[in-house]
Amino acid sequence: MPWDDKFECMPVDELQRFQLKKLQETVDWVYERVPFYRKKLDELGIRAKDITSVEDIRKLPFTVKTDLRDNYPFGLCAVPLRDLARVHASSGTTGKPITGPYTAEDVEQWTECVARVLWAAGIRSEDIVQNAYGHGLFTGGLGLHQGASRIGCAVVPTSSGMTERQIMLMKDFGTTALLCTPSYALTIAERAEDMGVSIRDLPLRVGVFGAEPWTDAMRNEIEEKMGIAARDIYGLTELGGPGMGYECDAREGLHINEDHFIVEIVDPETLEPLPAGERGEMVLTAIQRRAMPLLRYRTRDITKIIRGKCSCGCTFAKIDRIFGRSDDMLIINGANLFPSQVESLLMEMEEVEPQYLLMVRKKRHLDEVGVKVEGKKYVYEAGARKIAEVEKKIGAHLKGLLGISFGVELVAPKALTRSEGKAVRVIDQRPK
Ligand code: ADP
Ligand code: ZN
């Protein structure tokens, strides 16, 4: 049984009627309150009454990341600041961060969405939930805290970092559920090994991981190392943080909380909508948020929609696990490359640890891509000949399946920097 069967199991036609009503309300809401949207909608000559079906969402303008930057901090806010209950912000690796304002009602809805996500992962009130997502401006920490509290779990807000203490508490408190980024889960698993703690023998049984791309191969690695079931969750600051997409028992994609978000996939070049099953850029519209509901937000995340009945009983459409962010796509001498493709192939090699870093640079007019990957202890210690042999093998595997030549460098175990949040997978040194 899902957390909220009224919505999660709502017949599809009823759900669409609900979406339409909320979409119309949202178009009115932003038209009246956000000059940015009023201008865009006036230019297109569109008002809420022109939206007569969910498909009509295509008539609405897109919103992009730079619109948020240009209107920093509160230019896209639809309510006066006194009506805000919370403001989060994204990491914003360059320049100003992206602001995520919430009314009290937005926070309440967010809490319910996250409760659905954790419930679907099998988390119940008797669970001891260690929340190792960064707490603070990042939406992960507080968002998951609220959802787990709503279910009635004992929440341990460790935040990220201080890995040895995480492991000590996990052991002492008998933590049953771990929430963090997948790369941090690996860091924890590895440090536990070093400390002589077998996580497999602890009560930990489930992990809810998200906030960065991770492959099925990485999932297997984590599940194996920790002896747990690992679930994927999806969200982004611009639309309210975690609680937008979640895996159910079927683990065949992530359900989107469709009573809150309308999902589309578009061709990133033409911006034309793509049919279900085709991979492209995910576009999301928030239809119940009030502080900053975005219309057709281009997430830059690459995935596809999976329609059809899910064995879990939930009627919400699913998206495939995120293939990568278009921002992270590398163009190597004209060929497209996502870090996730390299990750999957590296994880197939038994000689390496699940730790890697892609390095790109320009040599004369050509792009050169190198990958540093940690060798397993026994490989590394076998000496230069073995190392060279494995490097060659990895290079051939990557070249064979991706058609790109990589300079492979097998580095010592633990040579690469460990992640405590979102892992850095690429260093691109090419001139911009
Ligand atoms: P930032 O853009 O600074 O990373 P956010 O914390 O809001 O800020 O991150 C949201 C982004 O994180 C998403 O747009 C997506 O690229 C990535 N992300 C979140 N969850 C997942 C997931 N489960 N799988 C892959 N990528 C994810
Ligand atoms: Zn399902």
Side-chain angles (χ1 to χ4, degrees), residues 248 250 255 310 312 314 318:
C248 59
H255 287 289
C310 184
C312 77
C314 174
K318 287 185 287 201

Side-chain angles (χ1 to χ4, degrees), residues 403-423:
I404 295 173
S405 300
F406 287 76
V408 180
E409 187 187 344
L410 202 77
V411 297
K414 310 225 167 61
L416 299 176
T417 309
R418 295 297 182 260
S419 157
E420 294 185 348
K422 295 184 187 234

Side-chain angles (χ1 to χ4, degrees), residues 59-77:
K59 296 180 180 170
L60 296 173
F62 287 103
T63 310
V64 294
K65 205 168 200 153
T66 47
D67 294 330
L68 280 102
R69 293 235 158 88
D70 296 345
N71 290 284
Y72 173 84
F74 298 119
L76 296 184
C77 220

Side-chain angles (χ1 to χ4, degrees), residues 280-293:
E281 179 178 346
M282 176 160 53
V283 171
L284 289 162
T285 300
I287 52 175
Q288 294 212 49
R289 303 191 79 216
R290 283 301 161 252
M292 195 179 77

